[in-house]
Amino acid sequence: MLCGYPPFDGDTEEEIMLSVQAEQYDFNDEVWDNVSDNAKDLIKKLLVPENERLSPKEALEHPWLVNINAADKGKSEALGLNHIKRLKHFQKAKNFKKAVLTFIASRVADSEIQKEMESFKNLDKNKDGYITMLELKEGMKNHYSEKDIEMVLKGVDTDKNGAINYTEFIAASLDNMIVNNASKIEKAFRLFDKNGDGHINAKELEEVLTGEGVQVIDKTVFRDILKECDLNEDGEVDFEEFQKCMQQNS
């Protein structure tokens, strides 16, 4: 795993096995040059007779593994904090923008959001697919007040179930990815402009967000969302209005 092959010499499997049995190995090959002394030390302490070998507990406490785990933890915490900042920013966004980003988040490919997925997993401690208030507090406690944390949860929790689900979290993470990319904004607009006339109306918004054939009891909610970005108050959102709305910070 460290360099591609074991440190035992031999041109055939039989010769390699003889080297293993004789405990003959070295790190002289150039492929080992980039492997740290700590890593080599751990290998040396494992490639010995069983009565001399490190126990599993001792191996886990070896400086090389301790340092790797500490580095990974720091990376995870930094990644989590970065996305928490995005959550805080997202909770101030207009409902129209939240609706658009949440819909896009439900369709985005995993390959485009690897870091976001990792960050969600780090915050979702019990791995149930939701970030609860308790989990959010754990991730934010050293950086934000309890009031700020409650505001973040309330603002990002678009389905109002008291927790941040995976799609909501990805939606908040997509903000920077989309608003600073003109082509992505245009693609997002086309998703909602179902008839291709250059405008988004309340019916199109409803169909995209709920799916065709779904009965909605209160249709005024879509008109109200649309109004947030309908700058000329003509009952529709054109591309220029859509772009301005998506690029606004709040």
Side-chain angles (χ1 to χ4, degrees):
M1 290 177 66
L2 291 173
C3 73
Y5 62 86
F8 299 101
D9 287 329
D11 295 325
T12 64
E13 289 189 15
E14 290 76 11
E15 290 178 359
I16 291 174
M17 284 306 299
L18 287 173
S19 294
V20 171
Q21 292 169 0
E23 300 174 35
Q24 295 177 348
Y25 63 89
D26 61 62
F27 301 114
N28 295 330
D29 196 292
E30 62 181 11
V31 297
W32 289 94
D33 290 348
N34 293 324
V35 177
S36 71
D37 290 339
N38 264 343
K40 293 173 185 174
D41 180 68
L42 176 59
I43 292 171
K44 290 176 182 176
K45 290 176 178 175
L46 293 174
L47 296 180
V48 293
E50 188 173 357
N51 63 333
E52 300 175 25
R53 193 177 307 151
L54 294 179
S55 68
K57 183 176 183 299
E58 290 171 332
L60 289 173
E61 292 173 350
H62 188 277
W64 184 66
L65 285 177
V66 170
N67 290 338
I68 283 183
N69 291 334
D72 286 345
K73 182 180 179 182
K75 181 181 177 182
S76 296
E77 289 177 351
L79 189 62
L81 180 58
N82 182 41
H83 285 88
I84 285 170
K85 288 178 180 177
R86 292 185 188 179
L87 293 179
K88 197 168 187 296
H89 179 79
F90 181 78
Q91 60 98 10
K92 298 177 182 177
K94 292 181 181 296
N95 289 324
F96 182 92
K97 181 176 180 178
K98 288 180 181 178
V100 171
L101 290 174
T102 300
F103 175 73
I104 294 172
S106 69
R107 298 165 60 95
V108 70
D110 288 352
S111 59
E112 297 182 66
I113 51 171
Q114 290 293 332
K115 290 183 179 179
E116 288 77 9
M117 292 169 63
E118 182 181 342
S119 188
F120 181 85
K121 290 175 182 176
N122 289 336
L123 290 168
D124 178 21
K125 300 299 183 184
N126 65 355
K127 310 305 178 190
D128 65 349
Y130 293 89
I131 299 173
T132 63
M133 174 62 78
L134 189 63
E135 290 169 329
L136 197 59
K137 284 181 179 178
E138 182 64 27
M140 297 177 69
K141 64 183 180 181
N142 295 326
H143 307 280
Y144 297 101
S145 68
E146 187 165 334
K147 183 179 179 181
D148 278 339
I149 297 171
E150 290 174 356
M151 286 178 63
V152 167
L153 181 62
K154 185 178 179 181
V156 180
D157 177 24
T158 53
D159 62 8
K160 307 304 177 188
N161 68 344
I164 300 171
N165 65 37
Y166 177 76
T167 301
E168 290 166 339
F169 183 86
I170 298 302
S173 302
L174 287 177
D175 196 350
N176 285 345
M177 187 187 302
I178 290 176
V179 301
N180 296 318
N181 188 313
S183 66
K184 289 187 182 295
I185 290 179
E186 187 175 353
K187 287 179 182 178
F189 180 80
R190 288 175 183 169
L191 287 173
F192 286 83
D193 178 21
K194 297 199 70 176
N195 63 8
D197 68 351
H199 298 82
I200 300 170
N201 57 41
K203 186 174 184 297
E204 289 173 316
L205 190 65
E206 176 188 338
E207 288 181 359
V208 173
L209 295 180
T210 64
E212 294 184 20
V214 176
Q215 296 297 314
V216 180
I217 296 175
D218 185 8
K219 294 180 181 291
T220 61
V221 66
F222 299 103
R223 289 198 294 270
D224 291 341
I225 291 175
L226 200 72
K227 283 179 183 177
E228 293 181 341
C229 298
D230 181 15
L231 303 180
N232 62 6
E233 300 181 352
D234 65 350
E236 298 179 320
V237 171
D238 61 26
F239 178 71
E240 184 179 347
E241 291 171 325
F242 182 86
Q243 188 173 34
K244 286 181 179 178
C245 187
M246 294 302 292
Q247 291 179 332
Q248 281 181 343
N249 291 330
S250 59

